[in-house]
C-alpha cells in the first residue's frame, strides 16, 4: 500500500459511516427499486414522478409488485410495460401463483415474454385473508415459488429473482428450512434473492452468513424499507414475521401527528443500515420505495450512488 493510499484510508476511517459516503469511490454499488402499481390517476402521476427522479441513478432493475392474490394483474402488467417502453430502465415483474391455475400463470409469463420483459420476481403469494395463515394450493396450480420458478424458466430465458426472509418466513419451522427452500429455488433456476425488510442488521448479517455457509452463492439483496409510517409498519410486521426492535418503537413513540420528524428518523435509521451493510461488504441494495423518490434518493447518496453526470 503506498503512502497516499494510507493517508486516504486514515482520513476515511476517521469519518463516521455516513460521512464516508462523500469520499467513497463512485459506481461500486448497485441499487434496485421496488414500486407498486398505482390505483388512481393521481397515484399514477406520483409514481411516475418518482420513477423519473430515480431513473438517472441507473438502477440494475426496478420491480413492480403483484397485488395480493394476483389482484393487480392488469395494473402490474401495464406499469411494467410502460417502464419497458418509455424508460431506459430494466423492469422486473413480480408474479405470484396463489389462487391461479397453472394455465393462467403461464399465460401471464408468456405475455411478459412477448412484451420484451426478461426478469420476473417469482413468489408464491400469501393465503387469501391472512398473511401467515394456512396455505392451500389449488389442485391445478403451482404449489410454491420453486415450482413457479421452474415454470418461468421453462417458458423463456428469464432472469428470476426470489424472496428470502432474514427473520424466517411466518410459515417456516426454521431458518434451515428457509435455506433449503432457497436452494430448491436456485436449482429450479433462480439467480438472485431479495430479502424481506428488516431492522435487526446484526441478525440479518448472521442469517446471510448461515446462507453462505450452506454453499449458496447467488446475490442476496437486502430489502431496505425507509419506514416513516410506524403505525402502518406495526400492523404489517407481525403477520409477516418481522420483529420490530424496542429501540425503533421508542424512536417513533409520540410522533403520530408529526410526519416531518418521522420522515427524518426514517431516513437516518435506513442510512445507518445501508452504511453498516456496505461496510460488511454488500454491494447490492434493494429499496422498497413506497412509490416515493425522496428517501430512496437520499439513501442512494449515502451509498455513493449518483447520477453519472452529477459532479456536485
Ligand atoms: C422481496 C419480496 C417481494 C414480495 N412481493 C410480493 C408481491 O408482489 N405480491 C405478493 O402477493 N406477495 C409478495 N411477497 C410476499 C410473499 O408472496 C409471501 O411472503 C409468501 O407467503 C411466500 O412467498 P415465497 O415466494 O417466499 O414462497 P415460497 O418460496 O414458495 O415458500 C413458501 C413456503 O412453501 C414451502 N416451499 C417452497 N418451496 C418448497 C420446496 N421446494 N420444497 C418444500 N417446501 C417448499 C415452504 O414451506 C415455504 O415456507 C414478497 C416477498 C418478498 C420477500
Amino acid at each position: 500500500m503506498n503512502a497516499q493510499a494510507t493517508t486516504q484510508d486514515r482520513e476515511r476511517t476517521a469519518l463516521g459511516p455516513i460521512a464516508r459516503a462523500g469520499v467513497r469511490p463512485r459506481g461500486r454499488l448497485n441499487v434496485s427499486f421496488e414500486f407498486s402499481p398505482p390505483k388512481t390517476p393521481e397515484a399514477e402521476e406520483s409514481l411516475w414522478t418518482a420513477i423519473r427522479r430515480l431513473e438517472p441513478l441507473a438502477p440494475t432493475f426496478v420491480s413492480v409488485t403483484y397485488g395480493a392474490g394476483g389482484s393487480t394483474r392488469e395494473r402490474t402488467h401495464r406499469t411494467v410495460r410502460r417502464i419497458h417502453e418509455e424508460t431506459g430502465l430494466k423492469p422486473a415483474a413480480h408474479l405470484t401463483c396463489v389462487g391461479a391455475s397453472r394455465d393462467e400463470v403461464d399465460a401471464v409469463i408468456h405475455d411478459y415474454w412477448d412484451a420484451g420483459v426478461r426478469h420476473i420476481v417469482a413468489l408464491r403469494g400469501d393465503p387469501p385473508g391472512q398473511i401467515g395463515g394456512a396455505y392451500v394450493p389449488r389442485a391445478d396450480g403451482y404449489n410454491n415459488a420453486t415450482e413457479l420458478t421452474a415454470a418461468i424458466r421453462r417458458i423463456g430465458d428469464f432472469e428470476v429473482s426470489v424472496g428470502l426472509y432474514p427473520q424466517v418466513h411466518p410459515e417456516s419451522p426454521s431458518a434451515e428450512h428457509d435455506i433449503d427452500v432457497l436452494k430448491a429455488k436456485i436449482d429450479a433456476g433462480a439467480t438472485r434473492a431479495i430479502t424481506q425488510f428488516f431492522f435487526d442488521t446484526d441478525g440479518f448479517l448472521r442469517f446471510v452468513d448461515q446462507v453462505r455457509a450452506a454453499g449458496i452463492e447467488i446475490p442476496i439483496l437486502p430489502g431496505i424499507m425507509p419506514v416513516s409510517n410506524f403505525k402502518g409498519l406495526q400492523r404489517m410486521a407481525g403477520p409477516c414475521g418481522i420483529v420490530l426492535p424496542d429501540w425503533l418503537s421508542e424512536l417513533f413513540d409520540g410522533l403520530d401527528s408529526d410526519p416531518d420528524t418521522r420522515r427524518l428518523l426514517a431516513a437516518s435509521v435506513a442510512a445507518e443500515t445501508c452504511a453498516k451493510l456496505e461496510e460488511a461488504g454488500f454491494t447490492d441494495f434493494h429499496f422498497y420505495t413506497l412509490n416515493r423518490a425522496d428517501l430512496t434518493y437520499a439513501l442512494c447518496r449515502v451509498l455513493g450512488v449518483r447520477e453519472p453526470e452529477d459532479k456536485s
Side-chain angles (χ1 to χ4, degrees):
M1 189 183 289
N2 63 35
Q4 193 189 355
T6 310
T7 309
Q8 277 175 354
D9 281 353
R10 250 201 317 275
E11 285 171 356
R12 196 169 130 77
T13 314
L15 297 168
I18 293 171
R20 280 204 278 278
V23 293
R24 179 178 294 140
R26 291 184 196 175
R28 279 191 312 130
L29 303 180
N30 308 308
V31 292
S32 52
F33 307 132
E34 181 175 304
F35 300 108
S36 307
K39 284 197 183 106
T40 62
E42 296 74 32
E44 173 134 16
E45 204 178 314
S46 86
L47 166 68
W48 277 87
T49 304
I51 291 174
R52 293 297 183 194
R53 170 91 163 128
L54 294 171
E55 182 179 6
L57 298 177
T60 314
F61 64 92
V62 297
S63 72
V64 182
T65 61
Y66 204 64
S71 54
T72 65
R73 175 178 164 162
E74 299 305 329
R75 279 188 281 132
T76 299
H77 198 276
R78 213 171 39 243
T79 307
V80 168
R81 260 180 93 134
R82 191 171 163 198
I83 291 171
H84 178 61
E85 287 167 4
E86 296 182 22
T87 74
L89 298 166
K90 284 192 186 154
H94 289 217
L95 178 61
T96 64
C97 53
V98 58
S101 71
R102 287 187 288 273
D103 287 347
E104 286 164 343
V105 172
D106 290 358
V108 177
I109 301 167
H110 280 291
D111 280 351
Y112 280 125
W113 184 265
D114 293 343
V117 175
R118 295 292 181 262
H119 183 176
I120 293 181
V121 183
L123 302 143
R124 187 201 64 185
D126 287 308
Q130 196 201 351
I131 298 176
Y135 180 81
V136 183
R138 263 175 69 147
D140 61 350
Y142 294 115
N143 284 315
N144 50 46
T146 307
E147 291 186 9
L148 175 61
T149 298
I152 295 167
R153 295 300 300 257
R154 264 196 311 272
I155 290 173
D157 188 17
F158 285 98
E159 199 177 333
V160 181
S161 298
V162 291
L164 184 63
Y165 303 86
Q167 293 189 308
V168 181
H169 185 270
E171 290 165 51
S172 167
S174 64
E176 288 73 19
H177 174 79
D178 279 355
I179 292 170
D180 286 343
V181 169
L182 178 60
K183 275 186 184 162
K185 293 194 240 187
I186 295 167
D187 291 344
T191 52
R192 175 193 292 103
I194 305 173
T195 80
Q196 181 63 280
F197 63 89
F198 57 92
F199 296 96
D200 173 7
T201 310
D202 292 327
F204 172 84
L205 292 172
R206 281 194 299 276
F207 174 71
V208 174
D209 283 347
Q210 213 179 329
V211 175
R212 295 297 184 216
I216 290 173
E217 291 174 355
I218 61 166
I220 296 173
L221 277 53
I224 308 292
M225 171 88 97
V227 181
S228 58
N229 178 354
F230 190 69
K231 285 266 184 260
L233 176 69
Q234 279 177 315
R235 277 194 298 275
M236 191 166 104
C240 289
I242 299 160
V243 179
L244 299 181
D246 291 343
W247 60 261
L248 195 66
S249 317
E250 277 295 316
L251 209 55
F252 284 92
D253 185 40
L255 294 175
D256 292 355
S257 54
D258 187 352
D260 290 344
T261 305
R262 283 193 272 116
R263 288 188 74 68
L264 289 170
L265 290 174
S268 48
V269 168
E272 193 172 273
T273 304
C274 288
K276 205 163 173 178
L277 292 173
E278 197 263 337
E279 296 214 313
F282 281 79
T283 53
D284 297 76
F285 296 78
H286 185 75
F287 290 96
Y288 294 102
T289 67
L290 306 177
N291 289 2
R292 293 185 59 147
D294 51 1
L295 290 177
T296 299
Y297 192 87
L299 291 165
C300 285
R301 290 198 67 106
V302 168
L303 292 171
V305 175
R306 300 190 186 182
E307 302 172 26
E309 71 281 13
D310 179 4
K311 304 267 193 294
S312 63

